[in-house]
Coordinates of all heavy atoms in Angstrom, one line a residue:
L319 N 93.3 41.5 198.9 CA 92.6 40.5 199.8 C 91.8 39.5 199.1 O 91.8 38.3 199.4 CB 91.8 41.2 201.0 CG 91.0 40.3 201.9 CD1 92.1 39.6 202.7 CD2 90.1 41.2 202.8
L320 N 91.0 40.0 198.1 CA 90.1 39.1 197.4 C 90.8 38.0 196.5 O 90.4 37.0 196.4 CB 89.2 40.0 196.6 CG 88.1 40.8 197.4 CD1 87.2 41.6 196.5 CD2 87.2 39.9 198.2
I321 N 91.8 38.5 195.7 CA 92.6 37.6 194.9 C 94.1 37.8 195.3 O 94.8 38.7 194.9 CB 92.4 37.9 193.5 CG1 91.0 37.9 193.0 CG2 93.2 36.9 192.5 CD1 90.6 38.1 191.6
P322 N 94.6 36.9 196.1 CA 96.0 37.1 196.6 C 96.9 37.3 195.5 O 96.8 36.7 194.4 CB 96.2 35.7 197.2 CG 94.9 35.3 197.7 CD 93.9 35.7 196.7
T323 N 97.8 38.3 195.7 CA 98.8 38.7 194.7 C 99.6 37.5 194.0 O 99.9 37.6 192.9 CB 99.8 39.8 195.2 OG1 99.0 40.6 196.0 CG2 100.5 40.6 194.1
G324 N 99.9 36.6 194.8 CA 100.7 35.4 194.4 C 100.0 34.7 193.3 O 100.8 34.0 192.5
S325 N 98.8 34.9 193.1 CA 98.1 34.2 192.0 C 98.6 34.6 190.6 O 98.8 33.8 189.8 CB 96.6 34.5 192.1 OG 95.8 34.1 191.0
S326 N 98.8 35.9 190.5 CA 99.4 36.4 189.3 C 100.8 36.0 189.0 O 101.2 35.8 188.0 CB 99.3 37.9 189.2 OG 97.9 38.3 189.0
K327 N 101.6 35.9 190.2 CA 102.9 35.5 190.0 C 102.9 34.1 189.6 O 103.8 33.6 188.8 CB 103.6 35.6 191.4 CG 105.1 35.2 191.5 CD 105.7 35.4 192.9 CE 107.1 34.9 192.9 NZ 107.3 33.6 192.8
V328 N 102.0 33.2 190.1 CA 101.9 31.8 189.5 C 101.6 31.8 188.1 O 102.3 31.0 187.4 CB 100.8 31.0 190.4 CG1 100.6 29.7 189.7 CG2 101.3 30.9 191.8
F329 N 100.7 32.6 187.6 CA 100.4 32.6 186.2 C 101.6 32.9 185.4 O 101.9 32.4 184.4 CB 99.3 33.7 186.0 CG 98.8 33.6 184.6 CD1 97.8 32.7 184.0 CD2 99.2 34.5 183.7 CE1 97.4 32.7 182.8 CE2 98.9 34.5 182.3 CZ 98.0 33.6 181.9
Y330 N 102.3 34.1 185.8 CA 103.4 34.5 185.1 C 104.5 33.4 185.1 O 105.1 33.2 184.1 CB 104.1 35.7 185.8 CG 105.3 36.2 185.2 CD1 105.2 37.3 184.3 CD2 106.6 35.7 185.6 CE1 106.3 37.7 183.6 CE2 107.7 36.2 185.0 CZ 107.7 37.2 184.0 OH 108.8 37.7 183.5
D331 N 104.7 32.7 186.2 CA 105.7 31.6 186.2 C 105.3 30.5 185.3 O 106.1 29.8 184.7 CB 105.9 31.2 187.7 CG 106.6 32.1 188.5 OD1 107.2 33.1 187.9 OD2 106.5 32.0 189.8
K332 N 104.0 30.2 185.3 CA 103.5 29.1 184.5 C 103.7 29.4 182.9 O 104.1 28.6 182.2 CB 102.0 28.9 184.7 CG 101.7 28.3 186.0 CD 102.0 26.8 186.2 CE 101.4 26.2 187.4 NZ 101.8 24.7 187.6
V333 N 103.4 30.6 182.6 CA 103.7 31.0 181.2 C 105.2 31.1 180.9 O 105.6 30.5 179.8 CB 103.2 32.5 180.9 CG1 103.4 33.0 179.5 CG2 101.6 32.5 181.2
S334 N 105.9 31.5 181.8 CA 107.5 31.5 181.7 C 108.0 30.0 181.5 O 108.8 29.8 180.6 CB 108.0 32.1 182.8 OG 109.5 32.1 182.8
D335 N 107.5 29.1 182.3 CA 108.0 27.7 182.3 C 107.5 27.1 181.1 O 108.2 26.1 180.5 CB 107.3 27.0 183.5 CG 107.9 27.3 184.8 OD1 108.9 28.1 184.9 OD2 107.2 26.9 185.9
T336 N 106.4 27.5 180.5 CA 106.0 26.9 179.1 C 106.8 27.6 178.0 O 107.1 26.8 177.0 CB 104.4 27.2 179.0 OG1 103.8 26.8 180.1 CG2 103.9 26.6 177.7
L337 N 107.0 28.7 178.0 CA 107.5 29.4 176.8 C 109.1 29.6 176.7 O 109.7 29.5 175.7 CB 106.9 30.8 176.5 CG 105.3 30.8 176.4 CD1 104.8 32.2 176.0 CD2 104.9 29.9 175.3
V338 N 109.7 29.8 177.9 CA 111.1 30.1 177.9 C 111.9 28.9 177.3 O 112.9 29.1 176.5 CB 111.7 30.4 179.3 CG1 113.1 30.4 179.4 CG2 111.1 31.9 179.8
P339 N 111.6 27.7 177.7 CA 112.2 26.6 177.0 C 112.1 26.5 175.5 O 112.9 25.9 174.8 CB 111.5 25.3 177.6 CG 111.0 25.7 178.8 CD 110.6 27.2 178.7
K340 N 111.1 27.3 174.9 CA 110.9 27.3 173.5 C 111.7 28.5 172.9 O 111.6 28.8 171.7 CB 109.4 27.5 173.1 CG 108.6 26.2 173.5 CD 107.1 26.6 173.1 CE 106.2 25.4 173.5 NZ 104.9 25.5 173.0
G341 N 112.4 29.3 173.8 CA 113.3 30.3 173.3 C 112.6 31.6 173.2 O 113.1 32.6 172.7
V342 N 111.5 31.7 173.9 CA 110.6 32.9 174.0 C 111.0 33.9 175.2 O 111.3 33.3 176.2 CB 109.2 32.7 174.2 CG1 108.4 34.0 174.4 CG2 108.7 31.9 173.0
N343 N 111.3 35.0 174.8 CA 111.6 36.1 175.8 C 110.3 36.7 176.1 O 109.6 37.5 175.4 CB 112.5 37.2 175.3 CG 112.8 38.3 176.3 OD1 112.5 38.2 177.5 ND2 113.6 39.3 175.8
L344 N 109.8 36.5 177.3 CA 108.5 37.1 177.8 C 108.3 38.5 177.6 O 107.2 39.0 177.2 CB 108.2 36.6 179.2 CG 107.2 35.3 179.3 CD1 108.0 34.1 178.7 CD2 106.8 35.1 180.8
D345 N 109.4 39.1 177.9 CA 109.2 40.7 177.9 C 109.0 41.1 176.5 O 108.6 42.3 176.3 CB 110.6 41.3 178.3 CG 110.7 41.3 179.9 OD1 109.7 40.9 180.5 OD2 111.8 41.8 180.4
D346 N 109.1 40.3 175.4 CA 108.8 40.8 174.1 C 107.3 40.9 173.8 O 106.9 41.7 173.0 CB 109.3 39.7 173.0 CG 110.9 39.7 172.9 OD1 111.5 40.6 173.5 OD2 111.4 38.7 172.4
F347 N 106.5 40.2 174.7 CA 105.1 40.4 174.5 C 104.2 40.5 175.8 O 103.1 40.8 175.7 CB 104.5 39.3 173.7 CG 104.1 38.0 174.4 CD1 102.8 37.8 174.5 CD2 105.1 37.2 174.8 CE1 102.4 36.5 175.2 CE2 104.8 36.0 175.4 CZ 103.5 35.7 175.7
Y348 N 104.9 40.1 176.9 CA 104.0 40.0 178.1 C 104.9 40.6 179.3 O 106.0 40.3 179.6 CB 103.9 38.5 178.4 CG 103.3 38.2 179.8 CD1 102.4 38.9 180.5 CD2 103.6 36.9 180.2 CE1 101.9 38.6 181.7 CE2 103.0 36.5 181.4 CZ 102.1 37.3 182.2 OH 101.6 36.9 183.4
R349 N 104.3 41.6 179.9 CA 105.0 42.4 181.0 C 104.0 42.4 182.2 O 102.9 42.7 182.1 CB 105.5 43.8 180.6 CG 106.5 43.5 179.5 CD 107.4 44.8 179.3 NE 108.5 44.4 178.4 CZ 109.6 45.1 178.2 NH1 109.8 46.2 178.9 NH2 110.5 44.8 177.3
F350 N 104.5 42.2 183.4 CA 103.8 42.0 184.7 C 104.3 43.1 185.6 O 105.5 43.2 185.8 CB 103.9 40.6 185.2 CG 103.4 40.4 186.6 CD1 102.1 41.0 186.9 CD2 104.1 39.5 187.4 CE1 101.7 40.8 188.2 CE2 103.4 39.3 188.7 CZ 102.4 39.9 189.1
F351 N 103.4 43.8 186.2 CA 103.7 44.9 187.1 C 103.1 44.6 188.6 O 101.8 44.5 188.5 CB 103.3 46.3 186.6 CG 103.9 46.6 185.3 CD1 103.3 46.2 184.1 CD2 105.1 47.4 185.3 CE1 103.9 46.5 182.8 CE2 105.6 47.8 184.0 CZ 105.1 47.3 182.8
L352 N 103.8 44.6 189.6 CA 103.2 44.6 191.0 C 103.0 46.0 191.4 O 103.9 46.9 191.1 CB 104.1 43.9 191.9 CG 104.2 42.4 191.8 CD1 105.3 41.8 192.7 CD2 102.9 41.6 192.0
I353 N 101.9 46.3 192.1 CA 101.6 47.6 192.5 C 101.7 47.6 194.1 O 100.5 47.3 194.7 CB 100.3 48.2 192.0 CG1 100.2 48.2 190.4 CG2 100.0 49.6 192.4 CD1 99.0 48.6 189.9
P354 N 102.8 47.9 194.7 CA 102.8 47.7 196.2 C 101.7 48.5 196.9 O 101.5 49.7 196.5 CB 104.2 48.3 196.5 CG 104.9 48.1 195.2 CD 104.0 48.3 194.1
G355 N 101.1 48.0 197.8 CA 100.1 48.7 198.7 C 98.8 48.7 198.1 O 97.8 49.2 198.9
M356 N 98.5 48.4 196.9 CA 97.2 48.5 196.3 C 96.2 47.4 196.7 O 96.8 46.2 196.8 CB 97.3 48.6 194.8 CG 96.0 49.0 194.1 SD 96.0 49.3 192.3 CE 95.9 47.5 191.8
S357 N 95.1 47.6 196.8 CA 94.0 46.7 197.2 C 93.6 46.0 196.0 O 94.3 46.1 194.9 CB 92.9 47.3 197.9 OG 93.4 47.9 199.2
H358 N 92.4 45.5 196.0 CA 91.9 44.7 194.9 C 91.5 45.6 193.7 O 90.5 46.5 193.7 CB 90.6 43.9 195.1 CG 90.1 43.1 194.2 ND1 90.9 42.2 193.5 CD2 88.9 43.0 193.5 CE1 90.2 41.5 192.6 NE2 89.0 42.0 192.5
C359 N 92.3 45.7 192.7 CA 92.1 46.4 191.5 C 92.4 47.9 191.6 O 92.9 48.6 190.6 CB 90.7 46.3 190.9 SG 90.2 44.7 190.2
S360 N 92.2 48.6 192.8 CA 92.3 49.9 193.0 C 92.5 50.3 194.4 O 92.0 49.5 195.2 CB 91.1 50.7 192.3 OG 90.0 50.4 193.0

């Protein structure tokens, strides 16, 4: 509730849009996990 989950999705997409055109595979150094049902941090 405090920080909508989509905020991290936006960050991930921004990093992807920046690095993938440079030939970077994000999974090589950056992995993102959604935790269904979890509140803020825990």
Side-chain angles (χ1 to χ4, degrees):
L319 177 65
L320 289 179
I321 303 180
T323 315
S325 171
S326 285
K327 183 176 179 294
V328 170
F329 183 88
Y330 179 91
D331 290 342
K332 292 284 190 180
V333 175
S334 178
D335 291 345
T336 303
L337 298 187
V338 169
K340 298 182 178 183
V342 174
N343 178 5
L344 260 61
D345 279 357
D346 288 345
F347 85 105
Y348 171 29
R349 299 199 171 195
F350 172 37
F351 300 84
L352 290 174
I353 306 182
M356 188 176 81
S357 301
H358 185 58
C359 294
S360 67

